Amino acid sequence: MAALRPLGGLRGNKDRRTSAPIPIPLSAYVVNCGVYRDGERLPGRWTHAEAIAEVRKRGKGFVWIGLHEPDSEQIKGIAETFGLHELAVEDAVQAHQRPKLERYDDTLFMVLKTVRFVEHDSPDTTNEIVETGELMAFLGHDFIVTVRHGNHSGLATLRTELDNEPERLKVGPAAVLHAIADKVVDSYLDVSEKFEDDIEDMEARIFAPRSQVSSEQIYLMKREVLELKRAVTPLANPLRRLAEGYTPLVPEQVRSYFRDVDDHLTTVAERVTAFDDLLNTLVDATLAKITLQQNTDMRKITAWAAIIAIPTMVAGVYGMNFEYMPELHWQFGYPAVGLLTLLVCLFLHRVFRRNRWL
């Protein structure tokens, strides 16, 4: 068996005391580069050129390279080595793409939106609920190149899990693509469950008596639901195409697993649609509650205005400088008028209270 070739920069670079190769870290944008044969990861560290050369020399296995937010210059060498299409490379560098699946000759390019739930004490005290990122994957017969944008969508844990399950990786790089899609859709499920808790909390407070809920927070949640919807809805068609045999790069034994991922995505899509409908209902309920509160306030204002109008009218009448006025020369005239005014005001107050205007 031919000896494995480690990362090019290690050759001839040894510690004088131990004669062992001095470890050289991978580039900042290359998170990991692994060579897999029969589902097992080969030991050593590799450059992308050495990794694919090793696989093609042996005629079996595949390469998995993980990149994090590379620029056009950094990804150029990898694109040339693996024959990646320039349009797909441009999309991978620029990011901000919708979930999609495209085929370029013998290479598949897939974009997935990643989401993360931003922990908070209450939906009323946060300005962000869902944080999004992106994962792109270039799939070939003997390689898969993943490009990650965002800080919450790391694949280190997934890579470790797959390294411990060689039976899954024996199928080839399509198994890695399925694992990534499954991880992303599972994160959708987790986020949707936590989002549902927030909506239920807000719903309870909206319909609670004398509660104060700002409609701005509901619109914030609608915006976050829209962000989640942009990640979930466009992914349905790519997953369905992979499950139905869109490309020979995905073997039959992997397609059934993509069908399972598609089923989970359908569950999330139904939840997101329900969230949107429920938030629309909550907006209507909040506006109705605000309108009802305004009507209640107007009735109170009107009732007090009617009560105050009585002494105002009496004072206006007796404030006029006329000689002949009712009970003007009677000793008990003013006390009687004042008492009568008070009784009328009390009577109106009781009527308004009975009608729940006060």
Side-chain angles (χ1 to χ4, degrees), residues 6-8 26-27 29-30 32-35 45-56 63-67 74-82 143 145:
L7 188 66
L26 293 173
S27 302
Y29 67 94
V30 180
N32 211 322
C33 178
V35 178
R45 303 179 67 183
W46 309 79
T47 66
H48 61 276
E50 292 171 338
I52 194 63
E54 177 69 21
V55 167
R56 290 174 179 172
V63 178
W64 180 6
I65 298 179
L67 308 177
Q74 292 170 337
I75 202 175
K76 183 177 180 181
I78 294 176
E80 292 176 351
T81 301
F82 291 93
F143 69 86
V145 178

PDB file of all heavy atoms in Angstrom, residues 6-8 26-27 29-30 32-35 45-56 63-67 74-82 143 145:
ATOM      1  N   PRO A   6       1.110  13.492   3.697  1.00  0.00           N
ATOM      2  CA  PRO A   6       0.538  14.528   4.541  1.00  0.00           C
ATOM      3  C   PRO A   6       0.560  15.865   3.856  1.00  0.00           C
ATOM      4  O   PRO A   6       0.981  15.972   2.708  1.00  0.00           O
ATOM      5  CB  PRO A   6       1.448  14.503   5.786  1.00  0.00           C
ATOM      6  CG  PRO A   6       2.772  14.041   5.268  1.00  0.00           C
ATOM      7  CD  PRO A   6       2.460  13.088   4.148  1.00  0.00           C
ATOM      8  N   LEU A   7       0.101  16.875   4.597  1.00  0.00           N
ATOM      9  CA  LEU A   7       0.030  18.231   4.075  1.00  0.00           C
ATOM     10  C   LEU A   7       1.362  18.637   3.489  1.00  0.00           C
ATOM     11  O   LEU A   7       2.416  18.464   4.110  1.00  0.00           O
ATOM     12  CB  LEU A   7      -0.373  19.193   5.191  1.00  0.00           C
ATOM     13  CG  LEU A   7      -0.672  20.632   4.765  1.00  0.00           C
ATOM     14  CD1 LEU A   7      -1.909  20.641   3.894  1.00  0.00           C
ATOM     15  CD2 LEU A   7      -0.870  21.508   5.989  1.00  0.00           C
ATOM     16  N   GLY A   8       1.353  19.199   2.273  1.00  0.00           N
ATOM     17  CA  GLY A   8       2.570  19.476   1.537  1.00  0.00           C
ATOM     18  C   GLY A   8       3.602  20.244   2.323  1.00  0.00           C
ATOM     19  O   GLY A   8       4.800  20.022   2.214  1.00  0.00           O
ATOM     20  N   LEU A  26      -4.058  24.367   9.289  1.00  0.00           N
ATOM     21  CA  LEU A  26      -4.757  24.617   8.033  1.00  0.00           C
ATOM     22  C   LEU A  26      -5.046  26.098   7.889  1.00  0.00           C
ATOM     23  O   LEU A  26      -5.043  26.844   8.862  1.00  0.00           O
ATOM     24  CB  LEU A  26      -6.073  23.830   8.000  1.00  0.00           C
ATOM     25  CG  LEU A  26      -5.944  22.310   7.944  1.00  0.00           C
ATOM     26  CD1 LEU A  26      -7.329  21.706   8.106  1.00  0.00           C
ATOM     27  CD2 LEU A  26      -5.308  21.842   6.667  1.00  0.00           C
ATOM     28  N   SER A  27      -5.288  26.533   6.663  1.00  0.00           N
ATOM     29  CA  SER A  27      -5.633  27.931   6.437  1.00  0.00           C
ATOM     30  C   SER A  27      -6.897  28.271   7.183  1.00  0.00           C
ATOM     31  O   SER A  27      -7.727  27.415   7.478  1.00  0.00           O
ATOM     32  CB  SER A  27      -5.816  28.171   4.930  1.00  0.00           C
ATOM     33  OG  SER A  27      -4.632  27.826   4.216  1.00  0.00           O
ATOM     34  N   TYR A  29      -9.556  29.630   6.278  1.00  0.00           N
ATOM     35  CA  TYR A  29     -10.816  29.361   5.595  1.00  0.00           C
ATOM     36  C   TYR A  29     -11.029  27.871   5.342  1.00  0.00           C
ATOM     37  O   TYR A  29     -12.139  27.447   5.052  1.00  0.00           O
ATOM     38  CB  TYR A  29     -10.888  30.151   4.278  1.00  0.00           C
ATOM     39  CG  TYR A  29      -9.888  29.713   3.235  1.00  0.00           C
ATOM     40  CD1 TYR A  29     -10.229  28.790   2.265  1.00  0.00           C
ATOM     41  CD2 TYR A  29      -8.590  30.218   3.234  1.00  0.00           C
ATOM     42  CE1 TYR A  29      -9.324  28.374   1.310  1.00  0.00           C
ATOM     43  CE2 TYR A  29      -7.678  29.812   2.290  1.00  0.00           C
ATOM     44  CZ  TYR A  29      -8.043  28.902   1.329  1.00  0.00           C
ATOM     45  OH  TYR A  29      -7.128  28.505   0.405  1.00  0.00           O
ATOM     46  N   VAL A  30      -9.967  27.052   5.409  1.00  0.00           N
ATOM     47  CA  VAL A  30     -10.103  25.603   5.268  1.00  0.00           C
ATOM     48  C   VAL A  30     -10.266  25.012   6.662  1.00  0.00           C
ATOM     49  O   VAL A  30      -9.311  24.907   7.419  1.00  0.00           O
ATOM     50  CB  VAL A  30      -8.886  24.983   4.562  1.00  0.00           C
ATOM     51  CG1 VAL A  30      -9.073  23.475   4.437  1.00  0.00           C
ATOM     52  CG2 VAL A  30      -8.681  25.606   3.192  1.00  0.00           C
ATOM     53  N   ASN A  32     -11.420  21.890   7.449  1.00  0.00           N
ATOM     54  CA  ASN A  32     -10.992  20.497   7.535  1.00  0.00           C
ATOM     55  C   ASN A  32     -10.887  19.916   6.135  1.00  0.00           C
ATOM     56  O   ASN A  32     -11.593  20.333   5.220  1.00  0.00           O
ATOM     57  CB  ASN A  32     -11.983  19.675   8.370  1.00  0.00           C
ATOM     58  CG  ASN A  32     -11.313  18.537   9.107  1.00  0.00           C
ATOM     59  OD1 ASN A  32     -10.411  17.887   8.586  1.00  0.00           O
ATOM     60  ND2 ASN A  32     -11.745  18.301  10.334  1.00  0.00           N
ATOM     61  N   CYS A  33      -9.988  18.962   5.989  1.00  0.00           N
ATOM     62  CA  CYS A  33      -9.829  18.254   4.718  1.00  0.00           C
ATOM     63  C   CYS A  33      -9.535  16.796   5.040  1.00  0.00           C
ATOM     64  O   CYS A  33      -8.502  16.481   5.653  1.00  0.00           O
ATOM     65  CB  CYS A  33      -8.696  18.869   3.899  1.00  0.00           C
ATOM     66  SG  CYS A  33      -8.387  18.021   2.328  1.00  0.00           S
ATOM     67  N   GLY A  34     -10.445  15.919   4.658  1.00  0.00           N
ATOM     68  CA  GLY A  34     -10.294  14.513   4.981  1.00  0.00           C
ATOM     69  C   GLY A  34     -10.407  13.624   3.761  1.00  0.00           C
ATOM     70  O   GLY A  34     -11.130  13.941   2.812  1.00  0.00           O
ATOM     71  N   VAL A  35      -9.702  12.503   3.795  1.00  0.00           N
ATOM     72  CA  VAL A  35      -9.770  11.499   2.739  1.00  0.00           C
ATOM     73  C   VAL A  35     -10.416  10.250   3.328  1.00  0.00           C
ATOM     74  O   VAL A  35      -9.999   9.764   4.387  1.00  0.00           O
ATOM     75  CB  VAL A  35      -8.362  11.169   2.207  1.00  0.00           C
ATOM     76  CG1 VAL A  35      -8.445  10.081   1.136  1.00  0.00           C
ATOM     77  CG2 VAL A  35      -7.704  12.406   1.634  1.00  0.00           C
ATOM     78  N   ARG A  45      -2.739  14.717   7.436  1.00  0.00           N
ATOM     79  CA  ARG A  45      -3.340  15.987   7.013  1.00  0.00           C
ATOM     80  C   ARG A  45      -3.005  16.220   5.551  1.00  0.00           C
ATOM     81  O   ARG A  45      -1.880  15.909   5.106  1.00  0.00           O
ATOM     82  CB  ARG A  45      -2.818  17.129   7.896  1.00  0.00           C
ATOM     83  CG  ARG A  45      -3.098  16.884   9.386  1.00  0.00           C
ATOM     84  CD  ARG A  45      -2.553  18.010  10.226  1.00  0.00           C
ATOM     85  NE  ARG A  45      -3.275  19.231   9.976  1.00  0.00           N
ATOM     86  CZ  ARG A  45      -2.955  20.394  10.544  1.00  0.00           C
ATOM     87  NH1 ARG A  45      -1.924  20.479  11.367  1.00  0.00           N
ATOM     88  NH2 ARG A  45      -3.660  21.480  10.285  1.00  0.00           N
ATOM     89  N   TRP A  46      -3.953  16.790   4.842  1.00  0.00           N
ATOM     90  CA  TRP A  46      -3.850  16.841   3.389  1.00  0.00           C
ATOM     91  C   TRP A  46      -4.157  18.233   2.861  1.00  0.00           C
ATOM     92  O   TRP A  46      -4.986  18.945   3.413  1.00  0.00           O
ATOM     93  CB  TRP A  46      -4.838  15.855   2.753  1.00  0.00           C
ATOM     94  CG  TRP A  46      -4.764  14.473   3.286  1.00  0.00           C
ATOM     95  CD1 TRP A  46      -5.284  13.996   4.452  1.00  0.00           C
ATOM     96  CD2 TRP A  46      -4.105  13.363   2.677  1.00  0.00           C
ATOM     97  NE1 TRP A  46      -5.014  12.675   4.624  1.00  0.00           N
ATOM     98  CE2 TRP A  46      -4.290  12.243   3.541  1.00  0.00           C
ATOM     99  CE3 TRP A  46      -3.394  13.184   1.496  1.00  0.00           C
ATOM    100  CZ2 TRP A  46      -3.783  10.979   3.244  1.00  0.00           C
ATOM    101  CZ3 TRP A  46      -2.895  11.933   1.200  1.00  0.00           C
ATOM    102  CH2 TRP A  46      -3.088  10.855   2.069  1.00  0.00           C
ATOM    103  N   THR A  47      -3.514  18.560   1.750  1.00  0.00           N
ATOM    104  CA  THR A  47      -3.984  19.691   0.964  1.00  0.00           C
ATOM    105  C   THR A  47      -5.072  19.172   0.036  1.00  0.00           C
ATOM    106  O   THR A  47      -5.218  17.954  -0.155  1.00  0.00           O
ATOM    107  CB  THR A  47      -2.849  20.298   0.121  1.00  0.00           C
ATOM    108  OG1 THR A  47      -2.425  19.346  -0.858  1.00  0.00           O
ATOM    109  CG2 THR A  47      -1.667  20.700   0.999  1.00  0.00           C
ATOM    110  N   HIS A  48      -5.834  20.084  -0.554  1.00  0.00           N
ATOM    111  CA  HIS A  48      -6.919  19.628  -1.424  1.00  0.00           C
ATOM    112  C   HIS A  48      -6.378  18.885  -2.642  1.00  0.00           C
ATOM    113  O   HIS A  48      -6.957  17.899  -3.092  1.00  0.00           O
ATOM    114  CB  HIS A  48      -7.774  20.823  -1.862  1.00  0.00           C
ATOM    115  CG  HIS A  48      -7.023  21.860  -2.640  1.00  0.00           C
ATOM    116  ND1 HIS A  48      -6.287  22.855  -2.046  1.00  0.00           N
ATOM    117  CD2 HIS A  48      -6.872  22.033  -3.984  1.00  0.00           C
ATOM    118  CE1 HIS A  48      -5.734  23.616  -2.971  1.00  0.00           C
ATOM    119  NE2 HIS A  48      -6.072  23.138  -4.155  1.00  0.00           N
ATOM    120  N   ALA A  49      -5.250  19.345  -3.172  1.00  0.00           N
ATOM    121  CA  ALA A  49      -4.680  18.694  -4.361  1.00  0.00           C
ATOM    122  C   ALA A  49      -4.162  17.305  -4.026  1.00  0.00           C
ATOM    123  O   ALA A  49      -4.376  16.337  -4.784  1.00  0.00           O
ATOM    124  CB  ALA A  49      -3.559  19.565  -4.931  1.00  0.00           C
ATOM    125  N   GLU A  50      -3.490  17.169  -2.906  1.00  0.00           N
ATOM    126  CA  GLU A  50      -2.971  15.865  -2.508  1.00  0.00           C
ATOM    127  C   GLU A  50      -4.093  14.893  -2.173  1.00  0.00           C
ATOM    128  O   GLU A  50      -4.004  13.694  -2.462  1.00  0.00           O
ATOM    129  CB  GLU A  50      -2.036  16.034  -1.310  1.00  0.00           C
ATOM    130  CG  GLU A  50      -0.751  16.769  -1.648  1.00  0.00           C
ATOM    131  CD  GLU A  50       0.055  17.116  -0.414  1.00  0.00           C
ATOM    132  OE1 GLU A  50      -0.529  17.177   0.694  1.00  0.00           O
ATOM    133  OE2 GLU A  50       1.260  17.342  -0.548  1.00  0.00           O
ATOM    134  N   ALA A  51      -5.162  15.422  -1.548  1.00  0.00           N
ATOM    135  CA  ALA A  51      -6.270  14.556  -1.149  1.00  0.00           C
ATOM    136  C   ALA A  51      -6.957  13.940  -2.362  1.00  0.00           C
ATOM    137  O   ALA A  51      -7.175  12.719  -2.425  1.00  0.00           O
ATOM    138  CB  ALA A  51      -7.270  15.349  -0.308  1.00  0.00           C
ATOM    139  N   ILE A  52      -7.291  14.762  -3.350  1.00  0.00           N
ATOM    140  CA  ILE A  52      -8.004  14.236  -4.516  1.00  0.00           C
ATOM    141  C   ILE A  52      -7.069  13.363  -5.365  1.00  0.00           C
ATOM    142  O   ILE A  52      -7.507  12.371  -5.984  1.00  0.00           O
ATOM    143  CB  ILE A  52      -8.623  15.381  -5.357  1.00  0.00           C
ATOM    144  CG1 ILE A  52      -9.641  14.818  -6.346  1.00  0.00           C
ATOM    145  CG2 ILE A  52      -7.547  16.191  -6.045  1.00  0.00           C
ATOM    146  CD1 ILE A  52     -10.820  14.163  -5.702  1.00  0.00           C
ATOM    147  N   ALA A  53      -5.769  13.704  -5.362  1.00  0.00           N
ATOM    148  CA  ALA A  53      -4.813  12.868  -6.095  1.00  0.00           C
ATOM    149  C   ALA A  53      -4.729  11.479  -5.472  1.00  0.00           C
ATOM    150  O   ALA A  53      -4.658  10.461  -6.183  1.00  0.00           O
ATOM    151  CB  ALA A  53      -3.436  13.537  -6.107  1.00  0.00           C
ATOM    152  N   GLU A  54      -4.751  11.424  -4.143  1.00  0.00           N
ATOM    153  CA  GLU A  54      -4.698  10.140  -3.448  1.00  0.00           C
ATOM    154  C   GLU A  54      -5.930   9.297  -3.766  1.00  0.00           C
ATOM    155  O   GLU A  54      -5.831   8.088  -4.033  1.00  0.00           O
ATOM    156  CB  GLU A  54      -4.589  10.379  -1.953  1.00  0.00           C
ATOM    157  CG  GLU A  54      -4.594   9.131  -1.103  1.00  0.00           C
ATOM    158  CD  GLU A  54      -3.331   8.308  -1.259  1.00  0.00           C
ATOM    159  OE1 GLU A  54      -2.309   8.869  -1.702  1.00  0.00           O
ATOM    160  OE2 GLU A  54      -3.367   7.101  -0.933  1.00  0.00           O
ATOM    161  N   VAL A  55      -7.092   9.916  -3.768  1.00  0.00           N
ATOM    162  CA  VAL A  55      -8.336   9.191  -4.043  1.00  0.00           C
ATOM    163  C   VAL A  55      -8.355   8.669  -5.476  1.00  0.00           C
ATOM    164  O   VAL A  55      -8.705   7.497  -5.742  1.00  0.00           O
ATOM    165  CB  VAL A  55      -9.550  10.106  -3.774  1.00  0.00           C
ATOM    166  CG1 VAL A  55     -10.829   9.492  -4.344  1.00  0.00           C
ATOM    167  CG2 VAL A  55      -9.715  10.339  -2.280  1.00  0.00           C
ATOM    168  N   ARG A  56      -7.969   9.502  -6.412  1.00  0.00           N
ATOM    169  CA  ARG A  56      -8.039   9.092  -7.823  1.00  0.00           C
ATOM    170  C   ARG A  56      -6.933   8.101  -8.178  1.00  0.00           C
ATOM    171  O   ARG A  56      -7.094   7.304  -9.107  1.00  0.00           O
ATOM    172  CB  ARG A  56      -7.990  10.338  -8.699  1.00  0.00           C
ATOM    173  CG  ARG A  56      -9.284  11.139  -8.575  1.00  0.00           C
ATOM    174  CD  ARG A  56      -9.266  12.457  -9.301  1.00  0.00           C
ATOM    175  NE  ARG A  56     -10.572  13.127  -9.131  1.00  0.00           N
ATOM    176  CZ  ARG A  56     -10.826  14.385  -9.534  1.00  0.00           C
ATOM    177  NH1 ARG A  56      -9.867  15.106 -10.106  1.00  0.00           N
ATOM    178  NH2 ARG A  56     -12.029  14.896  -9.335  1.00  0.00           N
ATOM    179  N   VAL A  63     -13.134  12.677  -1.049  1.00  0.00           N
ATOM    180  CA  VAL A  63     -12.545  13.765  -0.265  1.00  0.00           C
ATOM    181  C   VAL A  63     -13.663  14.647   0.264  1.00  0.00           C
ATOM    182  O   VAL A  63     -14.631  14.937  -0.454  1.00  0.00           O
ATOM    183  CB  VAL A  63     -11.580  14.606  -1.125  1.00  0.00           C
ATOM    184  CG1 VAL A  63     -11.011  15.782  -0.309  1.00  0.00           C
ATOM    185  CG2 VAL A  63     -10.455  13.750  -1.663  1.00  0.00           C
ATOM    186  N   TRP A  64     -13.542  15.050   1.512  1.00  0.00           N
ATOM    187  CA  TRP A  64     -14.487  16.010   2.104  1.00  0.00           C
ATOM    188  C   TRP A  64     -13.678  17.203   2.609  1.00  0.00           C
ATOM    189  O   TRP A  64     -12.874  17.078   3.524  1.00  0.00           O
ATOM    190  CB  TRP A  64     -15.266  15.347   3.238  1.00  0.00           C
ATOM    191  CG  TRP A  64     -16.259  16.277   3.902  1.00  0.00           C
ATOM    192  CD1 TRP A  64     -16.599  17.548   3.531  1.00  0.00           C
ATOM    193  CD2 TRP A  64     -17.058  15.984   5.060  1.00  0.00           C
ATOM    194  NE1 TRP A  64     -17.552  18.068   4.357  1.00  0.00           N
ATOM    195  CE2 TRP A  64     -17.856  17.119   5.315  1.00  0.00           C
ATOM    196  CE3 TRP A  64     -17.175  14.861   5.890  1.00  0.00           C
ATOM    197  CZ2 TRP A  64     -18.751  17.186   6.382  1.00  0.00           C
ATOM    198  CZ3 TRP A  64     -18.066  14.906   6.950  1.00  0.00           C
ATOM    199  CH2 TRP A  64     -18.841  16.059   7.194  1.00  0.00           C
ATOM    200  N   ILE A  65     -13.928  18.352   1.984  1.00  0.00           N
ATOM    201  CA  ILE A  65     -13.252  19.591   2.365  1.00  0.00           C
ATOM    202  C   ILE A  65     -14.293  20.562   2.900  1.00  0.00           C
ATOM    203  O   ILE A  65     -15.336  20.783   2.271  1.00  0.00           O
ATOM    204  CB  ILE A  65     -12.520  20.225   1.172  1.00  0.00           C
ATOM    205  CG1 ILE A  65     -11.428  19.278   0.664  1.00  0.00           C
ATOM    206  CG2 ILE A  65     -11.896  21.562   1.552  1.00  0.00           C
ATOM    207  CD1 ILE A  65     -10.666  19.805  -0.525  1.00  0.00           C
ATOM    208  N   GLY A  66     -14.019  21.141   4.057  1.00  0.00           N
ATOM    209  CA  GLY A  66     -14.906  22.142   4.653  1.00  0.00           C
ATOM    210  C   GLY A  66     -14.264  23.512   4.633  1.00  0.00           C
ATOM    211  O   GLY A  66     -13.117  23.682   5.076  1.00  0.00           O
ATOM    212  N   LEU A  67     -14.976  24.494   4.087  1.00  0.00           N
ATOM    213  CA  LEU A  67     -14.484  25.873   3.999  1.00  0.00           C
ATOM    214  C   LEU A  67     -15.403  26.794   4.791  1.00  0.00           C
ATOM    215  O   LEU A  67     -16.611  26.545   4.891  1.00  0.00           O
ATOM    216  CB  LEU A  67     -14.433  26.342   2.543  1.00  0.00           C
ATOM    217  CG  LEU A  67     -13.699  25.439   1.532  1.00  0.00           C
ATOM    218  CD1 LEU A  67     -13.809  26.036   0.138  1.00  0.00           C
ATOM    219  CD2 LEU A  67     -12.253  25.249   1.922  1.00  0.00           C
ATOM    220  N   GLN A  74      -9.267  32.763  -2.404  1.00  0.00           N
ATOM    221  CA  GLN A  74      -9.008  31.602  -1.560  1.00  0.00           C
ATOM    222  C   GLN A  74      -9.620  30.328  -2.124  1.00  0.00           C
ATOM    223  O   GLN A  74      -9.072  29.240  -1.965  1.00  0.00           O
ATOM    224  CB  GLN A  74      -9.542  31.860  -0.148  1.00  0.00           C
ATOM    225  CG  GLN A  74      -8.774  32.937   0.600  1.00  0.00           C
ATOM    226  CD  GLN A  74      -9.469  33.353   1.887  1.00  0.00           C
ATOM    227  OE1 GLN A  74     -10.678  33.187   2.029  1.00  0.00           O
ATOM    228  NE2 GLN A  74      -8.713  33.919   2.819  1.00  0.00           N
ATOM    229  N   ILE A  75     -10.766  30.445  -2.773  1.00  0.00           N
ATOM    230  CA  ILE A  75     -11.446  29.253  -3.292  1.00  0.00           C
ATOM    231  C   ILE A  75     -11.011  28.914  -4.717  1.00  0.00           C
ATOM    232  O   ILE A  75     -11.357  27.851  -5.243  1.00  0.00           O
ATOM    233  CB  ILE A  75     -12.981  29.460  -3.241  1.00  0.00           C
ATOM    234  CG1 ILE A  75     -13.705  28.105  -3.240  1.00  0.00           C
ATOM    235  CG2 ILE A  75     -13.457  30.334  -4.394  1.00  0.00           C
ATOM    236  CD1 ILE A  75     -15.203  28.228  -3.064  1.00  0.00           C
ATOM    237  N   LYS A  76     -10.226  29.797  -5.314  1.00  0.00           N
ATOM    238  CA  LYS A  76      -9.861  29.621  -6.723  1.00  0.00           C
ATOM    239  C   LYS A  76      -9.121  28.308  -6.965  1.00  0.00           C
ATOM    240  O   LYS A  76      -9.448  27.562  -7.886  1.00  0.00           O
ATOM    241  CB  LYS A  76      -9.003  30.802  -7.174  1.00  0.00           C
ATOM    242  CG  LYS A  76      -8.615  30.756  -8.642  1.00  0.00           C
ATOM    243  CD  LYS A  76      -7.819  31.998  -9.031  1.00  0.00           C
ATOM    244  CE  LYS A  76      -7.421  31.940 -10.506  1.00  0.00           C
ATOM    245  NZ  LYS A  76      -6.620  33.137 -10.893  1.00  0.00           N
ATOM    246  N   GLY A  77      -8.107  28.011  -6.126  1.00  0.00           N
ATOM    247  CA  GLY A  77      -7.333  26.785  -6.326  1.00  0.00           C
ATOM    248  C   GLY A  77      -8.173  25.538  -6.170  1.00  0.00           C
ATOM    249  O   GLY A  77      -8.040  24.576  -6.944  1.00  0.00           O
ATOM    250  N   ILE A  78      -9.079  25.533  -5.175  1.00  0.00           N
ATOM    251  CA  ILE A  78      -9.959  24.382  -4.967  1.00  0.00           C
ATOM    252  C   ILE A  78     -10.920  24.216  -6.136  1.00  0.00           C
ATOM    253  O   ILE A  78     -11.174  23.105  -6.600  1.00  0.00           O
ATOM    254  CB  ILE A  78     -10.717  24.542  -3.640  1.00  0.00           C
ATOM    255  CG1 ILE A  78      -9.737  24.469  -2.462  1.00  0.00           C
ATOM    256  CG2 ILE A  78     -11.794  23.471  -3.487  1.00  0.00           C
ATOM    257  CD1 ILE A  78     -10.366  24.706  -1.107  1.00  0.00           C
ATOM    258  N   ALA A  79     -11.438  25.334  -6.638  1.00  0.00           N
ATOM    259  CA  ALA A  79     -12.364  25.277  -7.768  1.00  0.00           C
ATOM    260  C   ALA A  79     -11.683  24.702  -9.006  1.00  0.00           C
ATOM    261  O   ALA A  79     -12.273  23.899  -9.742  1.00  0.00           O
ATOM    262  CB  ALA A  79     -12.907  26.675  -8.054  1.00  0.00           C
ATOM    263  N   GLU A  80     -10.431  25.086  -9.243  1.00  0.00           N
ATOM    264  CA  GLU A  80      -9.709  24.571 -10.410  1.00  0.00           C
ATOM    265  C   GLU A  80      -9.385  23.087 -10.246  1.00  0.00           C
ATOM    266  O   GLU A  80      -9.497  22.309 -11.189  1.00  0.00           O
ATOM    267  CB  GLU A  80      -8.426  25.385 -10.607  1.00  0.00           C
ATOM    268  CG  GLU A  80      -8.676  26.826 -11.032  1.00  0.00           C
ATOM    269  CD  GLU A  80      -7.387  27.636 -11.116  1.00  0.00           C
ATOM    270  OE1 GLU A  80      -6.326  27.111 -10.674  1.00  0.00           O
ATOM    271  OE2 GLU A  80      -7.436  28.776 -11.606  1.00  0.00           O
ATOM    272  N   THR A  81      -8.999  22.691  -9.037  1.00  0.00           N
ATOM    273  CA  THR A  81      -8.640  21.298  -8.796  1.00  0.00           C
ATOM    274  C   THR A  81      -9.830  20.357  -8.972  1.00  0.00           C
ATOM    275  O   THR A  81      -9.719  19.285  -9.571  1.00  0.00           O
ATOM    276  CB  THR A  81      -8.058  21.133  -7.383  1.00  0.00           C
ATOM    277  OG1 THR A  81      -6.901  21.952  -7.248  1.00  0.00           O
ATOM    278  CG2 THR A  81      -7.686  19.688  -7.104  1.00  0.00           C
ATOM    279  N   PHE A  82     -10.993  20.766  -8.470  1.00  0.00           N
ATOM    280  CA  PHE A  82     -12.175  19.905  -8.504  1.00  0.00           C
ATOM    281  C   PHE A  82     -13.085  20.196  -9.697  1.00  0.00           C
ATOM    282  O   PHE A  82     -14.113  19.545  -9.859  1.00  0.00           O
ATOM    283  CB  PHE A  82     -12.969  20.056  -7.206  1.00  0.00           C
ATOM    284  CG  PHE A  82     -12.273  19.497  -6.007  1.00  0.00           C
ATOM    285  CD1 PHE A  82     -11.488  20.295  -5.211  1.00  0.00           C
ATOM    286  CD2 PHE A  82     -12.388  18.154  -5.680  1.00  0.00           C
ATOM    287  CE1 PHE A  82     -10.832  19.773  -4.113  1.00  0.00           C
ATOM    288  CE2 PHE A  82     -11.742  17.627  -4.592  1.00  0.00           C
ATOM    289  CZ  PHE A  82     -10.953  18.434  -3.794  1.00  0.00           C
ATOM    290  N   PHE A 143     -15.820  13.509  -4.389  1.00  0.00           N
ATOM    291  CA  PHE A 143     -15.540  14.623  -3.474  1.00  0.00           C
ATOM    292  C   PHE A 143     -16.830  15.317  -3.054  1.00  0.00           C
ATOM    293  O   PHE A 143     -17.861  15.223  -3.731  1.00  0.00           O
ATOM    294  CB  PHE A 143     -14.596  15.643  -4.115  1.00  0.00           C
ATOM    295  CG  PHE A 143     -15.209  16.428  -5.254  1.00  0.00           C
ATOM    296  CD1 PHE A 143     -15.938  17.593  -5.028  1.00  0.00           C
ATOM    297  CD2 PHE A 143     -15.066  15.982  -6.569  1.00  0.00           C
ATOM    298  CE1 PHE A 143     -16.502  18.307  -6.077  1.00  0.00           C
ATOM    299  CE2 PHE A 143     -15.645  16.687  -7.627  1.00  0.00           C
ATOM    300  CZ  PHE A 143     -16.348  17.851  -7.383  1.00  0.00           C
ATOM    301  N   VAL A 145     -17.375  19.305  -1.320  1.00  0.00           N
ATOM    302  CA  VAL A 145     -16.794  20.535  -0.779  1.00  0.00           C
ATOM    303  C   VAL A 145     -17.927  21.335  -0.148  1.00  0.00           C
ATOM    304  O   VAL A 145     -18.903  21.679  -0.829  1.00  0.00           O
ATOM    305  CB  VAL A 145     -16.106  21.369  -1.877  1.00  0.00           C
ATOM    306  CG1 VAL A 145     -15.543  22.670  -1.292  1.00  0.00           C
ATOM    307  CG2 VAL A 145     -15.000  20.568  -2.544  1.00  0.00           C
TER     308      VAL A 145
END
